[in-house]
């Protein structure tokens, strides 16, 4: 199986990065703007607001592949 999947590994890693980044950003959008949820937006300078900023912009940066290592480190610490 490993020999069969080896040529596809760059594409699979890219798909995983994009999906994980967009899901992370989706949780931040819920906190910042109240989209996709019933709860209202949170205050920007609260702890949840800072988490929303990290999740939204960090998730988008991870999805496009920019500064992936430091952003993922920051986002994992936020989690």
């Amino acid at each position: 199986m490993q020999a069969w999947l080896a040529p596809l590994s760059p594409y699979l890693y890219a798909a995983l990065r994009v999906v994980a980044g967009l899901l992370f950003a989706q949780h931040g959008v819920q906190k910042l703007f109240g989209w996709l949820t019933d709860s209202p937006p949170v205050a920007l300078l609260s702890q949840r607001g800072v988490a929303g900023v990290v999740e939204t912009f960090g998730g988008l940066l991870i999805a496009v592949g920019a500064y992936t290592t430091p952003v993922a480190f920051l986002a994992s610490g936020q989690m």
Side-chain angles (χ1 to χ4, degrees), residues 1-2 6 14 49-50 53 59 65-66 71 76:
M1 183 125 182
Q2 187 176 9
V50 172
V53 169
V71 171
S76 69

Side-chain angles (χ1 to χ4, degrees), residues 27-45:
H27 282 282
V29 166
Q30 282 182 336
K31 289 182 182 83
L32 288 181
F33 305 112
W35 296 344
L36 308 169
T37 185
D38 293 333
S39 34
V42 298
L44 189 60
L45 294 178

